[in-house]
Amino acid sequence: MRPVIRPLLALLLVSVAPPLLAQSSPSVLPSASAPPAQPSGEIATDEAVNDDAKVAQRIRTIFAEIPALQPVTVRVSAGVVTLTGTVADQAAIDQAASIAGRLSGVVTVQNRLERNLQVERNLSPAVSGVTDRIVGLWRALPLIGVALLVAVLVGFAGYALAGRKRLWARVAPNPFLAELIETAIRFVFVVGGIVLALEILGATALLGAVLGGAGVIGIALGFAVRDSIDNYVSSLMLSVRQPFRANDSVRIDNHEGTVVRLTSRATILITGDGNHLRIPNSTVFKAVILNFTANPQRKFTFDYPLAQDADPCHARGVGLDVLRKLDFVLAKPEPGAELVDIAGATQVLRFGAWVDQRHSDFGKARTNAMEAVRHALREGGFPAALPGSRVRLERKDEDALSPAAPAPGAAPVSASADVAPESHITQMAERERAGKKDGQDLLDTSRPVE
């Protein structure tokens, strides 16, 4: 019985297995309708996207709407676009490649376009472009005329306003600042007129480029003419500060003279020997200025050497008595004298006294005072001692016992000596100022001196 059952079970399994496998196959095998997953970065193979004929037709349709690309031949194979033909210029070649490369389904673009180098083909667009510009300029002439008219009117308005010299002279503290204000007004109105004209023409971008270039050029010129700019600014500051007046006696660094005028470039002096001295204002502004005229009272000093065995107190009293008797010496402040050196071979007395420069010339007063004191001290037994070693010779014969004859002295100086101020240099300065040979004077007598 068992030998019969075994073959029957095997036959049953063989007949049942195929249907079971067929029923379970849909859950195991992939569906034919579902597309397989594509690895990341690979080119899609969807026939709807990569249909070469459709891509080629799409590119041809686009090129047909662009006159410069109409001669281009398009061929697409496996997503590779090949462009051939001849176009007008390089811009058209780049434009064709850019358009073809942006379409979906295009893998790469082989750009084999060439530029048409025929003379007629390249000359016609150039001539046409020039003609179009000329026609455009002709059509824009009325607008250009209006813009120029507006710029001219604005500029003339600025010049008319700047021409009100009396107004700016009343507003500004000195002529130099008034001239500076006038120049600034002209500049602002002219630039404003140009900006308004370019705004009317719609060319404000050009203005930005011009101003940018002008700024660079201005910086370069500023470094090149920095000395002139320094002198100009110094002139402006000096005209505001007013450190001296015309006809003032001044010392600027090592230069001394009488002020003639202050111009926009230099300060003009007349030296004591009658020469003209022009000092750049940049130097004057930075220099140490000593004004001898600002204070009419001025003190003069001089030294007198005495022998080591002389009595300095007695000599001091003799000298001061003489100074007090001089008419040109001021009583207040009083004259003075002091012993300034006793270390050398001589003693040095320094006398000082004050004079009024409005009534007495400083140099004349000092000279007369020195001579009067020297004469009085010599007569009082205090001759001026020579510096250096003293050698005294003594004789024992009879001649040595006889008194020596006194040395002849100079005539005493009169207490009312002529020390009137020197007016020749002042008259020269007045003539120079009246002639106005060196430009407009920036010194203003109505403003206080710094």
Side-chain angles (χ1 to χ4, degrees):
M1 190 65 180
R2 290 182 178 176
V4 177
I5 294 175
R6 290 179 179 176
L8 291 176
L9 292 173
L11 182 62
L12 181 60
L13 291 173
V14 171
S15 60
V16 174
L20 293 176
L21 292 174
Q23 293 177 1
S24 61
S25 61
S27 62
V28 177
L29 298 178
S31 173
S33 61
Q38 297 292 335
S40 175
E42 293 185 0
I43 299 175
T45 58
D46 188 355
E47 295 180 357
V49 178
N50 296 312
D51 190 349
D52 294 341
K54 292 181 179 180
V55 172
Q57 184 60 35
R58 178 60 176 162
I59 296 175
R60 293 190 190 99
T61 303
I62 296 174
F63 286 179
E65 299 297 328
I66 303 174
L69 302 182
Q70 290 177 358
V72 177
T73 301
V74 181
R75 184 173 62 85
V76 181
S77 177
V80 178
V81 179
T82 303
L83 304 178
T84 57
T86 304
V87 293
D89 50 24
Q90 184 63 38
I93 296 175
D94 298 336
Q95 184 183 19
S98 176
I99 293 173
R102 291 202 301 267
L103 265 66
S104 176
V106 175
V107 178
T108 186
V109 177
Q110 294 182 347
N111 194 346
R112 297 176 181 175
L113 295 175
E114 297 180 355
R115 180 182 175 184
N116 190 344
L117 298 178
Q118 294 180 0
V119 176
E120 298 82 359
R121 184 71 176 178
N122 290 273
L123 183 61
S124 297
V127 174
S128 177
V130 173
T131 304
D132 292 342
R133 289 185 176 89
I134 295 175
V135 172
L137 181 62
W138 176 261
R139 293 176 179 175
L141 282 179
L143 185 61
I144 295 175
V146 172
L148 289 176
L149 179 61
V150 170
V152 171
L153 290 177
V154 174
F156 271 120
Y159 272 82
L161 182 60
R164 304 290 299 273
K165 295 184 179 297
R166 292 184 179 178
L167 173 62
W168 306 124
R170 197 178 307 119
V171 172
N174 56 64
F176 185 69
L177 283 179
E179 183 179 354
L180 185 62
I181 293 174
E182 295 170 10
T183 303
I185 291 175
R186 294 190 193 99
F187 177 79
V188 170
F189 272 79
V190 169
V191 173
I194 295 174
V195 171
L196 188 57
L198 292 177
E199 185 71 27
I200 294 174
L201 295 175
T204 53
L206 177 62
L207 177 64
V210 172
L211 292 179
V216 174
I217 296 174
I219 293 174
L221 290 178
F223 281 104
V225 297
R226 60 182 180 273
D227 293 336
S228 299
I229 295 175
D230 185 18
N231 193 60
Y232 187 84
V233 175
S234 299
S235 302
L236 174 62
M237 297 301 297
L238 287 173
S239 66
V240 175
R241 293 173 54 186
Q242 300 281 322
F244 38 70
R245 291 271 191 261
N247 294 330
D248 279 1
S249 178
V250 298
R251 179 186 297 159
I252 302 174
D253 281 345
N254 297 324
H255 308 290
E256 186 172 342
T258 301
V259 178
V260 177
R261 68 167 49 88
L262 172 68
T263 69
S264 59
R265 297 179 300 275
T267 299
I268 296 92
L269 305 179
I270 294 183
T271 61
D273 51 4
N275 294 325
H276 281 69
L277 179 63
R278 301 176 65 92
I279 308 176
N281 285 335
S282 57
T283 302
V284 178
F285 182 71
K286 301 173 184 177
V288 176
I289 301 176
L290 181 58
N291 193 329
F292 300 111
T293 312
N295 184 8
Q297 295 183 353
R298 185 176 175 185
K299 181 180 180 180
F300 64 81
T301 59
F302 60 89
D303 294 342
Y304 190 86
L306 296 173
Q308 279 288 354
D309 55 355
D311 184 1
C313 294
H314 188 190
R316 177 179 178 275
V318 172
L320 289 179
D321 288 340
V322 174
L323 289 176
R324 293 189 184 99
K325 294 177 182 179
L326 297 176
D327 294 342
F328 53 84
V329 173
L330 299 179
K332 297 292 183 179
E334 295 182 356
E338 58 181 343
L339 188 64
V340 295
D341 187 15
I342 59 173
T346 60
Q347 305 178 80
V348 179
L349 273 176
R350 178 166 297 168
F351 293 92
W354 292 80
V355 296
D356 190 338
Q357 298 182 97
R358 294 171 296 183
H359 308 294
S360 304
D361 183 81
F362 180 81
K364 291 180 180 179
R366 183 173 182 269
T367 300
N368 282 277
M370 290 175 63
E371 181 59 27
V373 171
R374 184 174 72 90
H375 179 79
L377 290 176
R378 179 184 295 175
E379 293 296 326
F382 300 99
L386 297 177
S389 301
R390 295 182 59 194
V391 178
R392 181 176 179 179
L393 300 177
E394 296 182 355
R395 298 178 60 183
K396 297 183 178 180
D397 53 8
E398 296 180 355
D399 294 337
L401 301 177
S402 61
V413 176
S414 173
S416 58
D418 181 18
V419 292
E422 179 64 44
S423 60
H424 182 64
I425 299 297
T426 303
Q427 293 174 359
M428 291 179 62
E430 290 291 346
R431 288 195 297 268
E432 291 292 332
R433 288 174 55 79
K436 295 185 178 180
K437 298 179 180 180
D438 297 301
Q440 193 173 19
D441 189 10
L442 302 181
L443 297 175
D444 187 1
T445 54
S446 62
R447 292 178 58 83
V449 177
E450 183 185 47

